[in-house]
Amino acid sequence: MLTKNKNNTKKLVFRSDGALLPEIGTGHIVRDVTIADYFVSKKILKKTEIVFVSRTDGPFRIGYDLIQESGYQLEAVDDDQLEWNSPQESKVLKDIDPNLLVIDRLSTDLIWMTDLKSSLRHVISMDDTGDGAFVADAFINAILHDFPENEAGYIGYDYLVLKSNSADIKTEVPMEVNRIVASFGGHDSRNLMGFFLNNFNRDDIWLAKGTVIELLVGSESKKIIKSWAAQVKKISIRYDVTISLLIRPPDFLDRLVKADLAVLSGGLTIFEAVSLGVPSIGLPQYQHQLDTLKALTAKKAIRLGSQEMRLDQKSFTRIFAEMMQSKDKRQLLKKNGPRLIDAKGTERVITVLSNFIH
């Protein structure tokens, strides 16, 4: 059973949701748990001083589960009190009255944030493209860079909160791709995994004998998992490879770093891969992910595997085959990735937040 908060000392509160819904996903909760873990590991805060406020029912159940697994406290609030930018949500957060409130979502309203900020000591927003961001004590937009300059803004890849560490980076790119990882977020709303697996039905794909393919998936429906398992069985029969379908593996990052090639959606995992120097092909779930993937492609840190938002099997297969066959192309991505995104973003974000906690 998830622990409800009974401690009056609430130094850091995260207001974020995780859901099996378009535009929400699980990235916000995962990032906030990573930040919380860092505060605890560095003995800046005790675990009991950190609280989450999140919706928990229906499609939001996955966010609840992630917080439960992390061991952090969840404030007991009904979902109907947590509609974004609502007076009810504002009242809940005011009543909690933390030293620092971090709001992690895509948009806050100016009037709503102004009212909230007038009653709380400190408010920081993350990934916020709404007008409310400018009222916060600080806003951190590591991914969405198209933002006016502001002295309270911390913008750019330097502020990416990642779990990866530069010490994990593989030193060499092999001549042949022997390990492939495919992962498309906590909720694969476009069935990108099915699209990726269909790639192996074509005659112009070649895999080395003994290639290991790992499909790292989130909490999907039994129906979609069953359909992927059927595709996996056909691929296993056609090729002499080892292919595994793994649901939310606890060693996700360890598996990613060992990959010679990854096929990923445009959420936080693509940044983990880039920072680790894992050559990657990106496929977007949503428009903002496409923007991310196009920006990384322009920096020669990944390859975009779609035609804008359109998924084209022939085009993707050509790009996939090129990456499989060319060590030089994989080497280029491996070299450019860690140069673009280092592994120090979490430390920078912690520094920003620490200025407002006490």
Side-chain angles (χ1 to χ4, degrees):
M1 184 69 181
L2 185 63
T3 304
K4 302 295 183 178
N5 182 53
K6 296 180 181 178
N7 192 312
N8 291 325
T9 305
K10 302 169 186 177
K11 291 188 175 179
L12 175 59
V13 170
F14 291 100
R15 171 67 190 103
S16 54
D17 293 317
L20 299 177
L21 291 171
E23 304 292 339
I24 297 181
T26 58
H28 301 280
I29 295 287
V30 170
R31 169 170 50 203
D32 296 341
V33 168
T34 300
I35 293 171
D37 285 345
Y38 196 99
F39 271 115
V40 173
S41 69
K42 296 298 181 181
K43 301 187 185 306
I44 301 172
L45 293 175
K46 298 176 182 178
K47 203 159 191 174
T48 55
E49 295 174 327
I50 301 172
V51 176
F52 281 75
V53 179
S54 299
R55 286 182 276 190
T56 62
D57 297 332
F60 296 97
R61 180 73 186 194
I62 189 171
Y64 172 97
D65 290 341
L66 288 170
I67 298 169
Q68 183 180 41
E69 291 168 9
S70 74
Y72 290 100
Q73 300 174 26
L74 178 70
E75 195 73 10
V77 183
D78 292 337
D79 280 22
D80 59 7
Q81 300 296 302
L82 295 178
E83 182 180 347
W84 287 0
N85 302 316
S86 68
Q88 295 90 342
E89 182 192 32
S90 178
K91 183 179 185 306
V92 166
L93 298 173
K94 289 177 185 178
D95 288 345
I96 295 173
D97 191 27
N99 288 10
L100 171 62
L101 170 67
V102 174
I103 301 174
D104 190 346
R105 63 171 177 249
L106 291 177
S107 181
T108 59
D109 177 77
L110 176 61
I111 295 175
W112 181 85
M113 182 70 93
T114 301
D115 173 66
L116 187 67
K117 184 65 184 69
S118 68
S119 298
L120 296 182
R121 276 159 283 192
H122 300 295
V123 180
I124 289 178
S125 68
M126 298 184 68
D127 264 11
D128 185 358
T129 60
D131 294 335
F134 295 103
V135 183
D137 292 285
F139 57 89
I140 302 170
N141 282 17
I143 299 173
L144 308 168
H145 300 171
D146 188 15
F147 228 70
E149 286 191 16
N150 186 295
E151 62 181 12
Y154 298 86
I155 311 298
Y157 295 144
D158 281 350
Y159 299 96
L160 278 166
V161 174
L162 303 175
K163 294 182 178 181
S164 52
N165 188 303
S166 58
D168 297 329
I169 297 176
K170 293 173 67 174
T171 56
E172 296 182 5
V173 172
M175 286 298 299
E176 289 187 344
V177 171
N178 297 305
R179 300 185 71 92
I180 301 169
V181 162
S183 184
F184 303 104
H187 176 47
D188 188 354
S189 64
R190 298 188 76 192
N191 193 16
L192 296 178
M193 186 63 76
F195 175 78
F196 169 71
L197 293 173
N198 284 337
N199 183 55
F200 297 101
N201 294 328
R202 298 179 61 88
D203 294 331
D204 42 358
I205 287 296
W206 177 86
L207 295 174
K209 182 179 179 180
T211 298
V212 174
I213 304 174
E214 295 183 325
L215 314 175
L216 312 182
V217 307
S219 300
E220 304 292 346
S221 68
K222 291 182 180 179
K223 182 178 179 181
I224 192 68
I225 293 290
K226 186 176 180 180
S227 71
W228 292 339
Q231 289 176 282
V232 165
K233 185 175 180 180
K234 291 180 181 179
I235 294 169
S236 298
I237 293 172
R238 180 170 183 175
Y239 298 93
D240 187 5
V241 298
T242 299
I243 180 167
S244 304
L245 181 62
L246 304 170
I247 301 174
R248 294 178 63 191
D251 55 350
F252 180 98
L253 204 60
D254 291 336
R255 294 178 184 276
L256 177 63
V257 74
K258 292 175 183 176
D260 302 319
L261 179 65
V263 184
L264 308 166
S265 55
L268 285 177
T269 301
I270 196 75
F271 293 108
E272 298 278 10
V274 169
S275 72
L276 291 167
V278 178
S280 302
I281 301 171
L283 295 172
Q285 295 280 9
Y286 315 111
Q287 179 61 47
H288 72 269
Q289 288 195 2
L290 175 63
D291 296 340
T292 289
L293 297 175
K294 288 170 69 175
L296 292 173
T297 299
K299 298 290 186 180
K300 292 182 171 57
I302 68 160
R303 286 287 300 274
L304 178 62
S306 64
Q307 297 184 343
E308 297 293 316
M309 286 299 292
R310 186 167 72 88
L311 301 175
D312 181 82
Q313 198 74 63
K314 185 177 180 180
S315 173
F316 173 78
T317 300
R318 175 181 56 78
I319 293 169
F320 183 78
E322 285 179 6
M323 294 302 295
M324 291 285 290
Q325 295 164 11
S326 175
K327 177 182 177 180
D328 289 343
K329 290 181 178 179
R330 283 181 276 117
Q331 182 70 56
L332 177 66
L333 302 187
K334 179 178 180 57
K335 179 181 69 174
N336 290 340
R339 291 179 177 177
L340 180 66
I341 300 173
D342 63 22
K344 300 178 181 178
T346 304
E347 296 175 22
R348 297 186 185 101
V349 170
I350 294 298
T351 298
V352 174
L353 269 56
S354 294
N355 292 330
F356 299 98
I357 279 181
H358 299 291

